[in-house]
Amino acid sequence: MKRPKLKKASKRMTCHKRYKIQKKVREHHRKLRKEAKKRGHKKPRKDPGIPNSAPFKEALLREAELRKQQLEELKQQQKLDRQKEQERKRKHEVNPGDEQSNVEPHQEFEEPKSKKAKPGKQNPKKLHCQELKKVIEASDVVLEVLDARDPLGCRCPQVEEAIVQSGHKKLILVLNKSDLVPKENLENWLNYLSKELPTVVFKASTDMKSKEKMLKAKKKAVPFQRKLCSGKEALCKLLRSFQQSCGKDIQVGVIGFPNVGKSSIINSLKQERICTVGVPMGLTRSMQIVPLDKQITVIDSPCFIISPCNSSAALALRSPVSIEVLRPLEAASAILSQADSQQVVLKYTVPGYKDSLDFFTKLAQKRGLHQKGGSPNIESAAKLLWSEWTGASLGYYCHPPASWNPPHFNENIAANMKKGFNLEELETNNAHSIQVLKGPRLANRILFRSSGPTNGIIEETDIPEELPRQKENKQNTEDQGNDENNAESSGVPPVEDAREMLPVESTANKPPDRSFTLDEMSQEDDDYDFKTDYL
């Protein structure tokens, strides 16, 4: 009987055979290099663009820009659809019993989806206003989230007035991002705001995990890090005390300007990443219902729409990029004009500057932001400063005003808003939250001059109409939407449309063509009679 092999066959070979293989490999590589050298290295041709001598150059460039805008809008719409799908899935995960009831309406709405001709036709600002109204109407208690770095700039008088006029709704102020301001400044703001409304000091946890990751963490028995969040117990106790005084289930709406941390607060209260959060402004585009417990339900809302009549610094800090079109250089210059120049120099380790352009030039040189040729990239430096000031990492602060009396608040309204809340317990909880917080370093503190409350838009009719040029661009993109596939396959835009799109003003300022002047001269020569004497 043959013995079975216990080990694998050895890969050993003689030196003669190994050297022979190496020689063959070298010869093969040499052959490949020789053939590649014969063929030559073909560089990809660079697109020369449209020459200046080409007719209808302006129209062709305009058409290319329109096509680019249309592709960006399509990408944004696809992103919105994906977010809505994710929100719908999360709702099914939270309420699995409601899946059967939602099947029929989902089937009914499948037919109108196919009938939709062109996506992104409705103004996103109007959608934000509609969703915000729904949240305010559905909620018994409204949490207005304020950025502790500029609480007064995060207050919207129009929204507060609408809540006060409703009569039966309660308004609570939540000072989020309280770890980014000095403790003394935070206490001053708390004393100032608590005279008008119940105010909660809060610090939302930024290191939240999704539901799937939380389930994996539970299997590994990793405890939830509660020290990341501060003020959660104070807010929950305040809401439960009001719910017990009412004796019924309550709905809590969370509202505020973009990037103040509305969704992060809901995630911190729920201890799960249910709402989408991120650095970009205006991620939440529709209301989302999150049950906190059996008696309390929290409703997430989209951000306020800022009015264009505000100051340039307020527009730069409170305008979501997905809705508003802002130039980074102008926005960053407006923010820089309101900040303390000496503290800005210490923070960014840049020498003294004369104006904003000089500062961005020095910042670009310091951070290594250069264009082709070595010149400093001023626009990318402005984008860097803008993103830091609208994000959740930079620690700047502003002082509370000496006296500010809003027209929609008086002593009776303030007393009515505070009814049903345990304010003494809230005061002790706030003091404990401030004590636990770690303030920013001295080098990271920048004094900021607030421009006061920021005006917002609630009614859809108050949204300013678009400029006629923007309307024409939108109409052109809609008209060309059907023929885009044919144009993309050929890659050459139609010449007849380009002729129609040519502006009249561009030909008026240009000198007359040379051929036209030659024709006139030839006509004058024909009219001249050589037989007559003109002397």
Side-chain angles (χ1 to χ4, degrees):
M1 184 177 175
K2 193 176 180 181
R3 234 177 126 185
K5 286 187 178 180
L6 299 175
K7 293 181 180 180
K8 291 183 180 178
S10 175
K11 293 184 180 179
R12 282 185 173 186
M13 62 178 72
T14 59
C15 292
H16 175 72
K17 192 175 181 182
R18 186 166 66 250
Y19 296 151
K20 194 175 181 181
I21 292 167
Q22 289 175 1
K23 187 179 179 182
K24 288 278 185 185
V25 169
R26 282 199 301 272
E27 287 175 359
H28 177 68
H29 288 165
R30 195 183 297 115
K31 188 178 180 182
L32 290 176
R33 284 198 300 272
K34 198 173 182 181
E35 288 176 0
K37 198 173 181 181
K38 283 181 182 178
R39 287 197 303 269
H41 183 63
K42 292 184 180 179
K43 292 183 179 179
R45 287 187 179 182
K46 189 179 178 182
D47 184 17
I50 303 168
N52 294 328
S53 59
F56 320 120
K57 181 181 177 180
E58 293 178 4
L60 295 174
L61 289 172
R62 198 182 299 115
E63 198 169 318
E65 285 178 6
L66 288 174
R67 195 175 293 137
K68 191 177 178 182
Q69 287 177 4
Q70 201 169 5
L71 287 171
E72 286 178 359
E73 286 177 4
L74 186 64
K75 283 181 183 177
Q76 201 162 0
Q77 187 63 30
Q78 288 174 353
K79 190 178 178 182
L80 284 173
D81 294 339
R82 285 196 301 272
Q83 286 177 357
K84 285 180 183 177
E85 187 67 24
Q86 287 175 0
E87 287 175 6
R88 190 177 62 79
K89 286 179 181 178
R90 287 195 195 101
K91 285 177 185 177
H92 285 316
E93 286 176 1
V94 172
N95 300 321
D98 299 340
E99 287 183 2
Q100 294 179 356
S101 60
N102 292 334
V103 171
E104 293 179 0
H106 181 65
Q107 289 175 355
E108 291 176 4
F109 285 113
E110 278 180 358
E111 293 179 359
K113 275 186 182 178
S114 61
K115 291 180 183 178
K116 279 186 182 178
K118 290 158 190 175
K121 202 170 183 180
Q122 194 170 1
N123 193 350
K125 293 183 182 179
K126 291 185 178 179
L127 287 172
H128 275 60
C129 290
Q130 290 170 8
E131 295 293 319
L132 185 63
K133 277 184 182 178
K134 287 178 189 176
V135 173
I136 294 172
E137 287 173 5
S139 55
D140 303 310
V141 180
V142 180
L143 302 179
E144 188 177 9
V145 184
L146 310 178
D147 194 335
R149 298 174 290 184
D150 185 13
L152 197 60
C154 294
R155 293 187 71 172
C156 183
Q158 288 77 17
V159 176
E160 290 180 3
E161 193 174 355
I163 294 166
V164 168
Q165 287 175 358
S166 65
H168 60 279
K169 297 184 189 299
K170 301 290 182 181
L171 181 63
I172 299 173
L173 302 179
V174 181
L175 278 173
N176 194 23
K177 301 181 185 178
S178 52
D179 60 322
L180 298 176
V181 295
K183 289 186 179 181
E184 297 174 0
N185 184 259
L186 184 62
E187 288 173 357
N188 294 335
W189 273 111
L190 185 63
N191 295 331
Y192 173 76
L193 295 171
S194 57
K195 293 175 183 176
E196 300 172 19
L197 294 166
T199 309
V200 182
V201 175
F202 204 93
K203 190 259 174 184
S205 60
T206 53
D207 190 18
M208 293 298 299
K209 296 179 180 179
S210 62
K211 197 171 183 181
E212 296 174 0
K213 290 181 180 178
M214 286 291 291
L215 291 170
K216 290 179 182 177
K218 282 178 183 177
K219 289 178 183 178
K220 294 178 182 178
V222 178
F224 181 76
Q225 297 179 356
R226 297 194 180 188
K227 60 184 179 181
L228 297 173
C229 178
S230 176
K232 174 181 173 290
E233 293 179 2
L235 186 57
C236 288
K237 285 178 181 178
L238 190 70
L239 294 174
R240 286 195 183 99
S241 66
F242 179 72
Q243 186 269 327
Q244 288 171 5
S245 64
C246 290
K248 63 171 186 178
D249 298 349
I250 59 168
Q251 289 188 331
V252 182
V254 184
I255 60 173
F257 278 102
N259 260 26
V260 292
K262 301 182 291 296
S263 302
S264 299
I265 286 174
I266 296 171
N267 290 341
S268 300
L269 292 173
K270 191 68 178 172
Q271 295 187 4
E272 290 178 14
R273 191 170 181 175
I274 293 174
C275 303
T276 53
V277 292
V279 177
M281 303 172 80
L283 280 177
T284 307
R285 299 177 187 274
S286 59
M287 64 181 287
Q288 184 178 353
I289 299 168
V290 180
L292 194 62
D293 54 25
K294 291 181 180 179
Q295 289 84 24
I296 301 171
T297 305
V298 185
I299 307 171
D300 194 9
S301 69
C303 60
F304 298 154
I305 299 299
I306 189 169
S307 176
C309 64
N310 288 288
S311 63
S312 54
L315 288 168
L317 289 169
R318 312 277 171 245
S319 300
V321 185
S322 58
I323 297 175
E324 303 286 347
V325 179
L326 296 172
R327 295 178 181 177
L329 195 62
E330 293 177 3
S333 300
I335 293 168
L336 196 65
S337 64
Q338 300 291 101
D340 191 328
S341 58
Q342 292 181 355
Q343 292 176 349
V344 168
V345 166
L346 288 172
K347 163 65 182 166
Y348 291 98
T349 60
V350 171
Y353 57 93
K354 299 175 184 177
D355 52 1
S356 60
L357 195 65
D358 185 26
F359 173 77
F360 295 135
T361 306
K362 291 175 179 177
L363 183 64
Q365 290 172 350
K366 177 74 178 176
R367 298 290 176 93
L369 304 171
H370 298 292
Q371 293 178 341
K372 287 183 179 179
S375 58
N377 196 341
I378 297 169
E379 191 171 352
S380 58
K383 283 181 182 177
L384 176 69
L385 184 127
W386 189 20
S387 63
E388 283 188 1
W389 280 75
T390 53
S393 58
L394 187 71
Y396 65 90
Y397 67 99
C398 52
H399 295 299
S403 62
W404 182 69
N405 298 317
H408 52 275
F409 274 112
N410 53 34
E411 293 180 359
N412 296 329
I413 293 170
N416 187 26
M417 286 288 179
K418 292 176 182 179
K419 280 183 183 178
F421 296 111
N422 192 350
L423 298 177
E424 294 178 358
E425 189 181 8
L426 175 63
E427 191 175 351
T428 55
N429 289 330
N430 282 336
H432 178 68
S433 299
I434 293 171
Q435 191 177 1
V436 169
L437 289 171
K438 291 182 180 179
R441 297 177 183 176
L442 288 170
N444 293 339
R445 298 178 184 179
I446 299 174
L447 182 62
F448 183 73
R449 190 169 59 255
S450 178
S451 54
T454 307
N455 295 315
I457 299 173
I458 302 177
E459 300 296 331
E460 299 171 29
T461 54
D462 297 338
I463 293 171
E465 294 183 358
E466 295 175 341
L467 295 171
R469 287 182 182 178
Q470 293 177 354
K471 287 184 180 178
E472 285 177 6
N473 290 344
K474 281 192 176 182
Q475 286 175 1
N476 290 333
T477 51
E478 287 175 2
D479 294 338
Q480 292 174 1
N482 298 327
D483 302 331
E484 190 180 8
N485 296 328
N486 298 330
E488 283 181 358
S489 61
S490 61
V492 181
V495 180
E496 293 178 0
D497 296 340
R499 287 175 184 172
E500 291 176 2
M501 290 171 69
L502 272 173
V504 181
E505 296 177 1
S506 61
T507 55
N509 297 327
K510 288 182 181 178
D513 293 338
R514 193 173 178 184
S515 59
F516 182 73
T517 54
L518 288 172
D519 293 338
E520 283 185 345
M521 288 172 69
S522 62
Q523 286 177 4
E524 288 177 1
D525 292 341
D526 293 338
D527 294 339
Y528 188 79
D529 191 4
F530 290 95
K531 292 180 181 179
T532 57
D533 192 6
Y534 290 100
L535 294 173

